[in-house]
């Protein structure tokens, strides 16, 4: 696997001994996010939150204008642009890579033109025109697996072998990207925890991160922060899932994840810094 992920203006270390796993901080500019209740919907508060994440050591800021919680309705193109573009323009010189969480090709094009460094697509760039929107740029691309769509994905998710099927999907999408001219060092993968999966499916994927990453030989992003699988495991409501989220992040990187997508940046950075120091010390002793 390559040592760096090319994301627009930035080369992010994803396989170097001296660098801890990367922390992608979530910046929802939505009024109906499952995790923060639209707290950062207004631009002023979103920018303040981004500044705090930067102070806390975030590596990537992931801006999202459309909720993808189970059952959430689709958002119009114009409304999504109205939400995310002001944040991109305001933060593009903040010194951190900007990721845009979108599945709409038109939003991808506008975001890239405005200075976005990474496109994070829950639909795996399957939308008509999505590959064409990103192939000629130099931005990073994160391919996520999702069964069905946000409106129906948690109705009755079924797999014969969730690890094999998710791996096969991601492998197929990577191949199509490379055929479209996308350099491999721009690509990362995400198994899509909570997107068309039961608790058993999510746990199986968490246990198999190393296997998935080995099969595809690409940096893997794990987004488990505050998700319902943690609520099912701990019995805690979303506002009390910090401990579970930190445990999930550590479990994911221990299995081989190179990037974790989280709400609680400061706590995750601290946890991963300590974990990484222990791994480095262990390697030196060996």
């Amino acid at each position: 696997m390559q040592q760096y992920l090319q994301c627009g203006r930035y080369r992010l270390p994803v396989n170097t001994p001296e660098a801890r796993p990367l922390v992608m901080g979530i910046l929802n500019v939505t009024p109906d996010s499952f995790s923060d209740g639209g707290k950062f919907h207004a631009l002023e508060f979103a920018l303040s939150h981004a500044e705090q994440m930067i102070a806390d050591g975030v590596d990537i800021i992931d801006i999202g204008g459309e909720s993808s919680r189970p059952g959430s309705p689709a958002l119009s193109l114009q409304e999504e642009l109205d939400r995310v573009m002001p944040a991109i323009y305001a933060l593009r010189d903040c010194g951190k890579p900007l990721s845009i969480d979108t599945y709409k090709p038109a939003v991808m094009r506008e975001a890239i033109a405005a200075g976005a460094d990474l496109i994070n697509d829950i639909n795996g760039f399957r939308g008509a025109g999505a590959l064409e929107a990103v192939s000629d740029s130099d931005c990073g691309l994160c391919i996520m697996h999702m069964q069905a769509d946000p409106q129906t994905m948690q109705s009755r998710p079924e797999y014969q072998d969730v690890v094999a099927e998710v791996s096969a999907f991601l492998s197929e999408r990577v191949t199509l990207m490379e055929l479209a001219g996308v350099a491999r060092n721009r690509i990362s993968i995400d198994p899509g925890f909570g997107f068309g999966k039961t608790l058993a499916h999510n746990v199986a994927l968490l246990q198999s991160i190393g296997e998935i990453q080995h099969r595809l030989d690409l940096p893997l992003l794990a987004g488990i922060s505050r998700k319902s699988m943690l609520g099912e495991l701990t019995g805690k409501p979303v506002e009390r899932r910090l401990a579970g989220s930190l445990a999930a992040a550590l479990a994911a990187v221990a299995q081989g994840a190179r990037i974790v997508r989280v709400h609680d940046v400061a706590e995750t950075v601290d946890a991963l810094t300590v974990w990484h120091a222990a791994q480095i010390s262990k390697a030196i002793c060996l």
Side-chain angles (χ1 to χ4, degrees):
M1 185 173 67
Q2 70 265 18
Q3 289 189 310
Y4 295 91
L5 179 66
Q6 183 64 47
C7 292
R9 301 164 291 172
Y10 299 87
R11 293 172 72 233
L12 304 180
V14 288
N15 193 27
T16 58
E18 68 276 7
R20 63 160 171 75
L22 301 176
V23 174
M24 173 185 278
I26 299 168
L27 184 62
N28 287 318
V29 285
T30 64
D32 54 352
S33 166
F34 86 95
S35 62
D36 55 39
K39 194 188 326 182
F40 308 115
H41 178 45
L43 181 61
E44 172 187 357
F45 295 106
L47 298 183
S48 176
H49 183 52
E51 290 170 1
Q52 185 60 57
M53 288 197 292
I54 293 168
D56 291 336
V58 77
D59 298 296
I60 309 167
I61 298 174
D62 190 43
I63 302 170
E66 178 172 354
S67 175
S68 56
R69 75 189 191 284
S72 58
L75 189 70
S76 73
L77 169 61
Q78 190 57 54
E79 190 166 3
E80 184 175 353
L81 288 170
D82 289 344
R83 291 178 183 181
V84 302
M85 295 308 294
I88 296 171
Y89 284 121
L91 291 170
R92 61 184 176 181
D93 295 320
C94 71
K96 297 293 180 180
L98 295 186
S99 167
I100 305 304
D101 182 358
T102 186
Y103 59 87
K104 296 185 178 73
V107 177
M108 296 176 191
R109 291 183 186 278
E110 292 290 335
I112 292 170
D117 301 289
L118 189 151
I119 304 296
N120 181 18
D121 184 0
I122 64 171
N123 197 38
F125 298 91
R126 288 178 290 174
L131 275 178
E132 292 80 359
V134 300
S135 59
D136 291 335
S137 71
D138 62 354
C139 66
L141 306 172
C142 186
I143 307 170
M144 197 192 83
H145 173 275
M146 173 175 60
Q147 189 176 88
D149 54 48
Q151 291 79 31
T152 62
M153 62 187 181
Q154 291 306 111
S155 297
R156 293 183 63 184
E158 294 183 8
Y159 302 86
Q160 293 298 313
D161 182 332
V162 66
V163 175
E165 291 174 47
V166 169
S167 298
F169 169 85
L170 294 172
S171 180
E172 176 188 13
R173 298 310 302 167
V174 169
T175 298
L176 290 173
M177 280 197 160
E178 290 185 301
L179 289 173
V182 175
R184 193 172 180 83
N185 67 357
R186 292 172 53 199
I187 304 173
S188 57
I189 53 174
D190 180 351
F193 292 98
F195 284 80
K197 282 98 176 173
T198 65
L199 176 60
H201 297 146
N202 287 318
V203 171
L205 288 169
L206 180 58
Q207 294 170 336
S208 303
I209 282 175
E211 177 184 341
I212 297 169
Q213 187 162 261
H214 179 72
R215 285 187 188 184
L216 279 79
D217 196 30
L218 287 167
L220 186 146
L221 181 152
I224 313 175
S225 177
R226 300 188 190 176
K227 286 192 172 175
S228 59
M229 65 177 283
L230 303 180
E232 292 181 70
L233 288 169
T234 66
K236 300 292 175 60
V238 66
E239 66 273 11
R240 295 183 58 199
R241 293 178 188 166
L242 173 58
S245 296
L246 293 175
L250 290 173
V253 299
Q255 292 290 339
R258 301 294 198 247
I259 309 168
V260 290
R261 182 177 181 273
V262 305
H263 299 85
D264 304 290
V265 169
E267 294 85 351
T268 307
V269 168
D270 285 352
L272 291 184
T273 299
V274 174
W275 177 87
H276 184 249
Q279 296 303 111
I280 293 295
S281 299
K282 180 179 176 182
I284 292 173
C285 291
L286 292 176

